[in-house]
Amino acid sequence: MSSTSLYALRGLLAHLHATQDWPRLFALLETKPFLADQAEQLGGFQASGADLETYALPAAINAGDWKRFLHFSALALNLRGLAEDLAAPEILRALARSGRTSLDLALDAAGRLADPFRQARALAAIASGCEDGPARQDVLRELEGRLDDLAREAHGQSFFAEDLAVIARDAGPELYTRWRAWIDRLAPGQAPQVWRAVAEGWLWRGDPLAPELWQALAALGNASQILAFAPAGLGAMALTAPGEILLRLEALLPDPLDRQRAGASLHGRCALRYPERACAAWEEWSARSPLVWSTELIDRGREALGRLMPQCIEEIAASIEDPSIRAALRVVVLEARRTSEAAAAALAQLRHVPDGPGKLHWSLRYLTARPAEPKDEVRRQVIGVGRHLHAIGFAAEIGDLARWLDLVALHLSDQTSAQLDAILWSPDLTPENVLALADAVTRPEILDLLLECAERSAAALCPTEGEGFIFRKDLLIRATCRRCVLSESLETLQTIAERLLLEEEDELRERLAPQLAGLAGKGPKLADEVCAGIGDRHLRLVTLLRSTPEIPAGILAPASLYAALARIEILQDECHGLMALLETPADPRELLQRLILPIRNPQIRTRALLRLARHTLAFEISCHDRPDRLAPLELVRWLITTETDDELASLTPEIAALGAEAGGDRATAEVQEAARQLAALEIVEWPVRRDALEDLLARVAAGLLPAPNAAKALITILRLPQQLRPETARQTLRQHWIELLPCIAAAADRLPEKHLRPVRRALQESLRDVSQETARALLPRVAGEASKAEAEIWCGPERDDESAWIERAAHWIASTSPHPSDPRIEPLLARLWNDPESWRPALAWAVQDSLRRGRPQGEAALRLWLHAHLAPSPGRGRPPGLDDAAGAEKALQLALRLGPERSSP
Amino acid sequence: MSTTTDARTVRLREIAKRWPRFAWDYRGLTRWQSFDESFWTGLLAAGALIATGYSDLPVWWEKIPFLLPVLSEAGGTPRGNILLSVLILLNVWVLDRHLAAKIPAGLSEIRWLRAVRVIASSIPLLGLAVIPVWQELIRRRPSWAFVHRSAGPAGWWKRIDARLRSWSQHLIPQIFWLVGCQLTPLFSGLYLLSQCWPAAAMAVNVLLHLTGAVSAAAHVALRIQILQMTGRRAFFFRLLPLALLLPIPFSPIAALIWLPSAEPGKEDKGVVQTLYRSRITRRHPFAAIRGPRMGEITGSREDGRRRASAIKIGFLALESAVLAGIVATFGSPLVSDRNVSVLFILCALSIVPGAFLLVAGAVARSSGRWQGLAFLADHPYGPFLTLLPLALMIGALAGTLAGSHDIWNLRVLLIGVGFAGILMTLLAMMWTFLLSLFFGVPDRPITGPAISFVLFALILLLSSVLSAPTFLRPLSALIALASPLAGIGIAFCWLAPFRLRDLNDRRLPSHLRVRLWGLAVTAILPLGGLAIPAWIRLRHRHGPELDRWAALLREPAT
């Protein structure tokens, strides 16, 4: 591209802004692929984001063009969030692989990450994706510099060790000279995980003789950790001389038994690829150091042992005295040879094994490996093992249960369903075991039955319905993955997907695609098909990159990446919540079904439901002689969802206030119950409960209840330290009682003298236990911690100072980015809805300001701006506002693309 | 109301079809956890109330108790006795295996404890008390009750254990167990005792009364702790054990105390309390499957309509009784010996639609299958459609008997009707109690049973007055006067949120105005209760439209 074009891409928007040529500026963004060109030619989204924030947004605000403001804000928001989204290692690796332009894009994304640890991890992912060359060396140099900086500041932080371990797996071998220095900065006990990661990095390189690998293993030191991965990893390589490698490995293991374990594992793994070489090495090794036989040793070396010469096996068997170990040897030989002679020998030995889990395990392996003829004999043996399993209530290893089920499916197919049922309803089975069972079985019919009864199993195994629902999903996902991989088809996926929620189906596809991609033959094609069905665009891209090594270049072009990663769902949800308030709530259930229940974000939906309930209540009171106060309460009662107990605690004051609209004794009962439940909700941290209790008391002070009822409610609250159950909650409340007293006193102060007397008495009684010192501690709480500026915002404007106050409030919003679903922000929203014309520009500037601090802050501010833009009128509705809402939705849809498509030449 | 059919909704429906909702209670806990002491004491008290009602007749009133179809026919004959013994043994075995399965692995109960468990669980109904005691024992695991023991040898029962646990998650086998193994031995046993061993029957009757009172006392204490109860409700609720000591026909007072004071009346239960008790089930997206159907969530206006319908049906019974009484006085009774059976058949046929709505809805709600019928469960007016013809029939019969001075038969009729009403109320209460445990149905069980009570109490009152012919005319005049006056209130309730004067508002479309006028007129006129199905249809088809028009007529200035 010519330098003139580059100059235009860099400076055209600035020029149009300087000349205040708004129509041309807007046309450039809306009718031409300017932003896409900019990202492509300048190697990143930084310039596009900066241009939007600096020039396009002020232009839209100055022109008072709010639809365009929303469109550009959403674009800028997505560009801000793009760096976070692109930081997925799979995306970065794919970008690094796809040439210079994409590499620049990846580096740009890594450079824009705010967290230095994430930045380092992103650089490591880019380095691992790059081909060897100067570009890769540049990335590694940059990564080295970052890690040096981080190590200087780390001071033994645990997350640094975790980050280092991830980086070591990606770029460990390349930065070998630096690891010791970085690891030395870690706290004691953190080094092994990083050294292990470094060693794994070397193992993946496939060079068993690399001195750095052995240095890393030596630095790891811990024998059990070395045994966990090194022998198997080394055995999987193309070893020309396994004995030599084993000697090196043994030198790291002081315990002779550990050395034997390592040898058995290494030879066993080696035998999978090079059986002759492994057998020869085993014989040489066993001649060198006499082995202490155990079932564990036999199991580790089973692949090599099974392939030894018969004479050798006989010699080993003769040297073993323990019948269990002898039986294990015969079974592994049977597993390798599968002859009737081997089966007879194994059976003869198994007869001498004493009853117990060991006999069950080896018997099942024997049955799995033995020839299927004669059928009657096999069936009899399977039934015999089944009797034992029934007798012990299926309290066996999950692998053994899976083997048993496979055998039943093979030899007793008419009993498969009944036997699976018996296992599922056995008293000791746990949900985790069933999930492991789904991974371990190999017969499709067992998996089909497991899938069929997934929901019923949830009812049998999970103590709460919530846990059961999650278990159902996990079981369906794991069994479907296994079933599809076993059958190499997607038939089961189609049928099971209907039984999952959309996001759960995405999770299933995300797990299944890489597994299918690992299969030979039609696996990769199936993986592509699975990826294509993922609904979430971000997840689709990541899964595709994870399961398909060769990606078409178009997918990683900036415009395509933007389209895959742009998100407007939260803003749409906010819009829908506000649209419900713009309509007249004559039929609130219809509004709920049409607008509120489809909201995807749970917090926004809960907030929208509460606002709609208030809207309906206000409408009923203003519109009808005999308002139906119960209907909105019932909607809240049955439809509200809370993701966590913390959220429920925070919402409690507002829900109690809504419930109190019923009036009379019920209103008092709601407040009393809210206080009691909050005080007893021990699962939630005290500060969250304290804030909620303070909010509740503030509402009482503000006149939520008539004076006599407020007095009753306060007396009940004052008695909680004596009467609350359970005892532990009561003790906690007594400990922190001093923190609540100022709020109670403030609420009591507003009562008339007639009702104040009993409250004062209860207050005095509750103060009896409080010492003078503790009472003095009250003072800071009374004074409060909020700044003066913040206090001014909550107090509202003074007379003739409205516009200045709005400016201050907008500034506060820009600096703190409060969440619009936060119950505490509700009074500010009420002011904002009342005067949208003044608030809209002020908040628009706040959005521009917040965007500089990242996507979450910008998003929160833009959602608040939507409240000023759509400005509902509770209790009345504002039908003309529905046009604005439709316009806002259109503007948000436009933000899903970086700009118009390029016209074909 | 528009129904959203986006992909998400379709998926949710599909998942809901397969989801075993009844495996957990409305708080999202497994039944083993949620069926706590308050549940078992409540169940025992309710069971004892029914059983005492049955056994009081021979003990206190020296009447032969009537044979309940199936339930009390098992004993007496040699074949029946064998059947009874088999049922009792089956019950013992089922309960024993169920309880044994709850013992943690590696532990075993000592022999004498097992023997006590078997003997105690063999008593129908009262044996259920073993379950909470066993729950508590397993929670504490005292050393005197359990010893460490390895698994025993294989046995065929171990396989059946797994099958039993599987069946225990289905509603149908449980219903069979409840009817076959609990109710049949209980009623047959009581019948046999009253026939063969009167002294033993007396002792069992006293034992049942005491058990009922003790269970009720425990139930009251536990429930008051759990619930957000006002002082007045708590006071009445505390009278429950005393009511269970009373003999029939006074013991059903217990049901009257229980209903308004017990849990599921939603208007008395706070929003905060509901949210906290069911918070496990309120996690997204699971809550979308768990929650009640939109049609079931109603407000006070809908409650008013239901109450008004109940009152109108009560008046319909009175009006038909007065009419039949007047006709009978003049010598040509509406119901004669010849046409009484025809009347019965007609009434039986006329309650079919309502009964179908109730039963099919309940089945669809309870089972994972037949979801195509689930819409019937949303239909809120099943009880009214069932009760309307019943009220007419009973009113006509009672009026005819009173008018023809057949006092003896009138009394028999009214006692029978009263007892049936009590039984219906208790069954409805237990059904709703169970449903609310499983589904958290936002239903007001007071409405349905209250209709039965009001209806039968009114007729009881009427009969006593009608039995003295001199009161016939003033009473008829009173009913004729009260009916339209009450009808005005009923019309108000049904028209809400419209006012009467809105019916003349020209802005209201004429087709709606005509319908509303029809509703108002039939609500006010005597015998207008016959139009209740038409009112229901009007609300069902035009409800949202009517609400929107009501809002438009009174929209505040913006």
Side-chain angles (χ1 to χ4, degrees):
Chain A
M1 179 167 270
S2 68
S3 58
T4 322
S5 305
L6 283 175
Y7 177 76
L9 286 173
R10 284 205 177 96
L12 190 53
L13 273 185
H15 171 72
L16 292 173
H17 181 263
T19 55
Q20 298 199 346
D21 192 351
W22 310 139
R24 279 188 64 200
L25 191 152
F26 296 149
L28 185 65
L29 292 173
E30 288 171 354
T31 58
K32 294 192 168 57
F34 178 76
L35 293 174
D37 288 345
Q38 214 178 20
E40 223 161 84
Q41 300 305 325
L42 302 180
F45 293 104
Q46 200 154 13
S48 312
D51 275 1
L52 278 171
E53 288 171 23
T54 319
Y55 307 119
L57 288 183
I61 298 171
N62 286 328
D65 190 338
W66 301 118
K67 276 184 202 164
R68 283 202 168 93
F69 170 77
L70 186 58
H71 173 201
F72 298 152
S73 302
L75 270 174
L77 211 58
N78 280 327
L79 288 176
R80 278 271 164 196
L82 219 54
E84 300 281 327
D85 292 338
L86 284 174
E90 292 83 1
I91 300 181
L92 291 174
R93 277 192 208 109
L95 283 170
R97 267 199 303 269
S98 307
R100 185 69 226 186
T101 315
S102 299
L103 177 64
D104 286 344
L105 203 63
L107 287 169
D108 172 66
R112 293 172 71 195
L113 288 171
D115 180 1
F117 292 99
R118 286 196 69 192
Q119 213 173 61
R121 283 166 65 166
L123 285 172
I126 295 170
S128 71
C130 271
E131 282 175 15
D132 235 349
R136 185 163 196 242
Q137 292 310 317
D138 287 346
V139 177
L140 285 169
R141 256 195 306 281
E142 196 178 341
L143 174 62
E144 198 176 329
R146 293 287 158 84
L147 286 174
D148 278 339
D149 294 343
L150 289 173
R152 264 195 298 279
E153 294 158 13
H155 303 301
Q157 289 153 327
S158 63
F159 55 86
F160 181 52
E162 283 155 22
D163 284 316
L164 267 187
V166 173
I167 293 166
R169 278 188 199 100
D170 276 337
E174 283 80 5
L175 301 173
Y176 188 74
T177 52
R178 308 289 304 141
W179 284 110
R180 188 165 293 280
W182 292 329
I183 292 171
D184 284 348
R185 307 285 301 184
L186 296 173
Q190 291 179 347
Q193 62 168 316
V194 185
W195 279 121
R196 179 175 171 167
V198 174
E200 281 173 346
W202 278 105
L203 282 174
W204 287 334
R205 279 214 154 177
D207 180 5
L209 296 172
E212 293 86 354
L213 166 66
W214 295 99
Q215 283 166 15
L217 286 173
L220 178 56
N222 187 322
S224 63
Q225 287 225 29
I226 294 174
L227 272 176
F229 75 100
L234 287 165
M237 292 180 191
L239 300 178
T240 47
E244 190 191 329
I245 301 297
L246 183 59
L247 276 173
R248 283 189 178 209
L249 193 59
E250 283 179 347
L252 301 173
L253 304 165
D255 186 346
L257 286 178
D258 282 344
R259 287 183 202 163
Q260 291 195 3
R261 286 187 193 113
S265 297
L266 188 140
H267 288 118
R269 192 61 193 260
C270 185
L272 285 172
R273 287 178 71 182
Y274 309 102
E276 290 83 14
R277 209 182 288 170
C279 288
W282 179 286
E283 283 173 13
E284 191 187 316
W285 172 58
S286 57
R288 176 162 56 83
S289 53
L291 300 176
V292 181
W293 292 100
S294 65
T295 47
E296 188 201 351
L297 194 73
I298 287 173
D299 203 23
R300 280 174 179 261
R302 62 183 177 276
E303 300 297 341
L305 268 173
R307 288 171 174 83
L308 291 177
M309 297 295 285
Q311 192 189 346
C312 193
I313 297 290
E314 292 306 324
E315 280 173 20
I316 294 171
S319 70
I320 299 171
E321 285 180 12
D322 188 330
S324 304
I325 303 172
R326 242 189 347 249
L329 176 69
R330 294 294 182 186
V331 171
V332 296
V333 172
L334 172 65
E335 284 176 339
R337 294 182 189 162
R338 298 184 181 252
T339 60
S340 47
E341 293 77 29
L347 183 61
Q349 291 301 331
L350 276 169
R351 288 188 206 284
H352 297 111
V353 180
D355 281 349
K359 183 170 184 176
L360 176 70
H361 175 75
W362 292 107
S363 302
L364 284 165
R365 281 176 69 166
Y366 156 77
L367 281 168
T368 310
R370 66 154 292 167
E373 298 290 341
K375 278 184 181 166
D376 286 346
E377 189 188 321
V378 182
R379 283 168 68 97
R380 209 174 50 247
Q381 287 174 345
V382 174
I383 289 169
V385 175
R387 279 208 191 102
H388 175 71
L389 278 171
H390 275 286
I392 60 170
F394 293 94
E397 289 289 319
I398 214 67
D400 290 339
L401 290 179
R403 274 192 200 96
W404 150 251
L405 282 173
D406 285 340
L407 286 166
V408 170
L410 200 62
H411 301 292
L412 306 165
S413 52
D414 54 326
Q415 292 185 28
T416 315
S417 170
Q419 297 303 338
L420 178 66
D421 232 21
I423 289 181
L424 288 178
W425 293 97
S426 61
D428 291 336
L429 199 72
T430 61
E432 294 74 29
N433 284 346
V434 178
L435 295 177
L437 194 69
D439 288 339
V441 289
T442 57
R443 301 291 306 176
E445 48 270 55
I446 304 283
L447 288 163
D448 288 342
L449 285 169
L450 263 179
L451 286 167
E452 185 53 38
C453 66
E455 288 85 357
R456 209 154 46 83
S457 315
L461 293 162
C462 299
T464 68
E465 201 175 2
E467 289 169 56
F469 197 72
I470 293 168
F471 169 75
R472 165 208 65 99
K473 176 205 71 176
D474 290 341
L475 181 57
L476 287 176
I477 288 177
R478 281 166 81 158
T480 309
C481 286
R482 184 93 175 123
R483 180 72 174 83
C484 290
V485 170
L486 283 176
S487 61
E488 292 191 25
S489 83
L490 300 181
E491 206 176 307
T492 312
L493 174 69
Q494 319 296 352
T495 47
I496 297 304
E498 288 167 12
R499 288 161 59 188
L500 291 166
L501 294 169
L502 295 174
E503 57 268 29
E504 292 172 343
E505 187 192 337
D506 281 358
E507 197 182 325
L508 164 62
R509 287 172 179 274
E510 183 203 0
R511 281 206 204 176
L512 179 59
Q515 291 182 34
L516 287 172
L519 297 176
K522 57 180 179 177
K525 196 177 157 228
L526 291 176
D528 278 351
E529 211 176 305
V530 170
C531 288
I534 297 177
D536 183 282
R537 285 168 288 131
H538 179 253
L539 195 64
R540 192 193 308 151
L541 180 67
V542 171
T543 314
L544 193 68
L545 293 173
R546 201 184 294 153
S547 45
T548 317
E550 299 303 320
I551 297 288
I555 290 183
L556 298 174
S560 308
L561 273 179
Y562 178 89
L565 301 174
R567 290 182 310 225
I568 54 162
E569 287 82 2
I570 286 198
L571 298 169
Q572 276 180 326
D573 285 350
E574 197 73 48
C575 258
H576 284 178
L578 287 165
M579 277 163 79
L581 305 184
L582 290 169
E583 297 202 22
T584 309
D587 186 3
R589 291 189 294 175
E590 190 269 334
L591 284 178
L592 256 170
Q593 283 197 316
R594 183 159 53 85
L595 292 167
I596 307 288
L597 295 182
I599 291 178
R600 287 149 290 200
N601 183 294
Q603 276 91 26
I604 299 179
R605 192 181 48 238
T606 300
R607 173 59 43 201
L609 173 63
L610 286 170
R611 284 188 190 132
L612 178 65
R614 283 232 163 261
H615 181 42
T616 311
L617 205 59
F619 169 79
E620 283 285 335
I621 291 167
S622 68
C623 193
H624 296 304
D625 299 339
R626 284 189 294 174
D628 185 350
R629 291 168 187 262
L630 200 59
L633 297 189
E634 288 303 302
L635 290 175
V636 170
R637 185 205 292 268
W638 296 109
L639 297 177
I640 200 167
T641 57
T642 50
E643 291 305 283
T644 59
D645 286 332
D646 283 41
E647 192 192 347
L648 176 63
S650 307
L651 287 173
T652 301
E654 190 168 355
I655 294 166
L658 199 63
E661 294 288 346
D665 281 349
R666 278 183 215 152
T668 319
E670 288 288 0
V671 174
Q672 288 168 334
E673 187 67 17
R676 205 170 13 240
Q677 296 285 7
L678 280 171
L681 194 64
E682 290 177 275
I683 201 164
V684 174
E685 293 289 320
W686 169 253
V688 178
R689 288 189 282 151
R690 182 195 56 211
D691 287 352
L693 279 165
E694 284 177 355
D695 187 6
L696 184 72
L697 289 164
R699 285 168 194 267
V700 174
L704 176 68
L705 302 172
N709 296 17
K712 260 194 227 171
L714 286 176
I715 289 169
T716 311
I717 293 170
L718 283 164
R719 284 178 186 154
L720 283 178
Q722 281 80 46
Q723 294 174 348
L724 187 70
R725 294 284 177 276
E727 180 62 24
T728 46
R730 196 168 71 87
Q731 290 305 332
T732 313
L733 185 67
R734 284 171 73 94
Q735 270 174 21
H736 297 284
W737 186 238
I738 202 79
E739 297 168 28
L740 293 178
L741 275 175
C743 294
I744 299 176
D749 268 354
R750 282 159 176 76
L751 293 174
E753 191 59 33
K754 187 170 72 169
H755 303 295
L756 183 59
R757 214 167 295 141
V759 181
R760 200 178 280 152
R761 206 176 308 126
L763 202 56
Q764 281 163 358
E765 279 171 22
S766 76
L767 272 170
R768 209 174 283 157
D769 298 338
V770 179
S771 65
Q772 283 294 315
E773 288 75 26
T774 329
R776 250 180 247 125
L778 278 172
L779 287 172
R781 299 244 0 125
V782 176
E785 290 161 9
S787 67
K788 191 182 167 219
E790 195 173 327
E792 266 182 16
I793 287 158
W794 295 116
C795 291
E798 285 173 16
R799 204 173 292 169
D800 304 329
D801 192 25
E802 182 89 23
S803 59
W805 177 78
I806 288 175
E807 289 296 324
R808 281 199 297 276
H811 179 69
W812 176 77
I813 286 169
S815 59
T816 55
S817 307
H819 208 273
S821 299
D822 186 346
R824 286 173 301 177
I825 203 81
E826 219 49 28
L828 196 63
L829 288 180
R831 287 182 184 279
L832 195 149
W833 293 345
N834 278 334
D835 188 9
E837 293 308 321
S838 313
W839 278 90
R840 212 162 7 196
L843 280 179
W845 291 113
V847 170
Q848 193 218 12
D849 215 10
S850 308
L851 270 168
R852 298 210 173 98
R853 294 189 299 112
R855 180 177 173 122
Q857 288 79 4
E859 195 171 71
L862 189 57
R863 282 171 61 195
L864 275 172
W865 177 85
L866 277 172
H867 281 257
H869 182 54
L870 300 179
S873 153
R876 284 176 295 181
R878 196 171 64 83
L882 287 169
D883 293 337
D884 291 336
E889 287 226 78
K890 268 190 199 157
L892 288 174
Q893 285 294 339
L894 283 175
L896 282 174
R897 298 199 165 275
L898 209 45
E901 300 281 334
R902 276 194 194 86
S903 52
S904 52
Chain B
M1 192 181 296
S2 74
T3 51
T4 45
T5 49
D6 57 309
R8 187 177 178 77
T9 314
V10 172
R11 286 288 172 90
L12 282 172
R13 273 188 210 148
E14 203 57 40
I15 295 168
K17 259 188 213 173
R18 298 184 66 98
W19 189 240
R21 285 170 49 140
F22 54 83
W24 290 276
D25 72 353
Y26 77 100
R27 292 172 293 172
L29 299 175
T30 52
R31 272 181 279 162
W32 182 247
Q33 282 184 24
S34 74
F35 282 17
D36 56 5
E37 293 84 350
S38 79
F39 171 82
W40 291 112
T41 48
L43 198 69
L44 266 179
L49 185 61
I50 297 172
T52 51
Y54 189 75
S55 69
D56 278 344
L57 284 176
V59 172
W60 302 106
W61 307 108
E62 293 176 0
K63 300 274 181 202
I64 300 165
F66 44 87
L67 265 173
L68 290 170
V70 183
L71 293 181
S72 57
E73 286 173 346
T77 61
R79 201 186 287 175
N81 288 342
I82 291 170
L83 176 66
L84 199 58
S85 311
V86 168
L87 288 175
I88 288 172
L89 287 175
L90 184 65
N91 181 42
V92 170
W93 180 75
V94 168
L95 274 179
D96 189 59
R97 295 317 307 157
H98 178 66
L99 296 175
K102 296 293 169 192
I103 303 171
L107 285 183
S108 176
E109 74 279 47
I110 54 170
R111 276 187 189 168
W112 69 262
L113 185 65
R114 177 155 195 203
V116 169
R117 189 180 73 200
V118 168
I119 293 165
S121 52
S122 68
I123 309 166
L125 184 70
L126 302 186
L128 292 178
V130 177
I131 297 173
V133 174
W134 195 250
Q135 277 179 334
E136 192 56 33
L137 267 181
I138 283 176
R139 217 172 1 244
R140 294 187 183 180
R141 296 182 198 177
S143 55
W144 56 262
F146 297 102
V147 286
H148 288 278
R149 196 172 294 169
S150 56
W156 56 270
W157 61 87
K158 295 255 182 187
R159 286 177 221 183
I160 296 186
D161 277 357
R163 185 56 66 184
L164 260 183
R165 280 194 289 279
S166 171
W167 284 340
S168 74
Q169 294 297 314
H170 295 277
L171 203 61
I172 305 294
Q174 287 188 54
I175 289 172
F176 275 110
W177 168 75
L178 188 71
V179 174
C181 297
Q182 287 286 335
L183 297 181
T184 306
L186 175 71
F187 285 105
S188 299
L190 289 175
Y191 185 79
L192 275 181
L193 280 179
S194 68
Q195 294 298 297
C196 309
W197 300 284
M202 164 80 91
V204 167
N205 180 265
V206 171
L207 180 69
L208 279 172
H209 272 290
L210 285 176
T211 309
V214 171
S215 310
H219 178 72
V220 166
L222 291 165
R223 225 66 189 141
I224 283 176
Q225 266 183 15
I226 295 169
L227 296 181
Q228 181 182 314
M229 253 186 199
T230 57
R232 200 168 48 181
R233 278 179 66 201
F235 171 78
F236 278 108
F237 201 30
R238 286 200 178 93
L239 297 176
L240 183 67
L242 295 177
L244 274 144
L245 288 172
L246 298 172
I248 197 86
F250 309 108
S251 58
I253 292 170
L256 283 178
I257 294 171
W258 206 334
L259 273 178
S261 309
E263 179 185 12
K266 69 175 173 181
E267 60 272 33
D268 293 320
K269 199 166 63 171
V271 179
V272 173
Q273 190 184 41
T274 313
L275 293 191
Y276 272 81
R277 294 191 74 197
S278 57
R279 64 180 193 273
I280 297 172
T281 63
R282 291 178 183 272
R283 304 286 187 248
H284 168 83
F286 160 66
I289 293 164
R290 201 65 180 78
R293 296 179 179 90
M294 199 58 90
E296 293 172 333
I297 307 173
T298 55
S300 56
R301 211 167 274 145
E302 194 59 37
D303 282 353
R305 287 188 199 111
R306 291 187 190 192
R307 272 196 295 271
S309 303
I311 293 167
K312 192 70 186 168
I313 289 177
F315 268 105
L316 188 66
L318 288 174
E319 288 153 7
S320 65
V322 169
L323 199 66
I326 292 168
V327 174
T329 311
F330 290 106
S332 55
L334 280 179
V335 186
S336 67
D337 289 345
R338 272 177 301 161
N339 63 12
V340 72
S341 55
V342 178
L343 190 72
F344 266 106
I345 290 166
L346 282 177
C347 284
L349 286 177
S350 61
I351 65 166
V352 165
F356 175 74
L357 281 179
L358 282 177
V359 175
V363 169
R365 195 207 295 276
S366 313
S367 74
R369 296 164 197 178
W370 305 306
Q371 287 294 310
L373 294 176
F375 73 96
L376 296 174
D378 287 337
H379 207 294
Y381 297 112
F384 299 113
L385 292 177
T386 319
L387 285 168
L388 198 75
L390 269 179
L392 262 180
M393 182 194 78
I394 294 163
L397 271 175
T400 304
L401 292 171
S404 55
H405 305 296
D406 189 351
I407 303 302
W408 171 250
N409 279 329
L410 179 64
R411 277 186 188 146
V412 170
L413 170 78
L414 293 172
I415 287 171
V417 166
F419 190 76
I422 290 161
L423 207 64
M424 233 174 91
T425 309
L426 281 171
L427 287 176
M429 185 186 75
M430 284 179 75
W431 178 247
T432 318
F433 182 46
L434 286 171
L435 275 188
S436 74
L437 269 171
F438 293 137
F439 309 120
V441 184
D443 196 8
R444 276 164 233 206
I446 294 172
T447 314
I451 295 167
S452 330
F453 261 103
V454 168
L455 188 64
F456 300 123
L458 279 174
I459 288 173
L460 205 65
L461 181 75
L462 181 70
S463 74
S464 62
V465 181
L466 281 180
S467 59
T470 47
F471 285 103
L472 187 60
R473 274 187 202 166
L475 183 76
S476 303
L478 185 68
I479 290 170
L481 193 67
S483 178
L485 283 178
I488 294 170
I490 290 165
F492 268 118
C493 286
W494 264 93
L495 288 174
F498 289 99
R499 292 167 296 195
L500 272 177
R501 63 171 175 273
D502 289 335
L503 304 192
N504 290 326
D505 198 314
R506 293 279 163 195
R507 285 177 292 172
L508 199 62
S510 54
H511 73 279
L512 288 182
R513 248 187 311 145
V514 170
R515 285 187 168 94
L516 289 174
W517 266 116
L519 191 153
V521 169
T522 48
I524 293 167
L525 285 179
L527 293 178
L530 289 169
I532 285 180
W535 305 351
I536 293 166
R537 191 164 175 272
L538 176 65
R539 271 312 304 174
H540 218 65
R541 293 194 60 174
H542 301 282
E545 190 187 354
L546 287 169
D547 288 342
R548 269 195 293 277
W549 273 108
L552 273 176
L553 295 188
R554 254 186 317 288
E555 201 161 57
T558 53

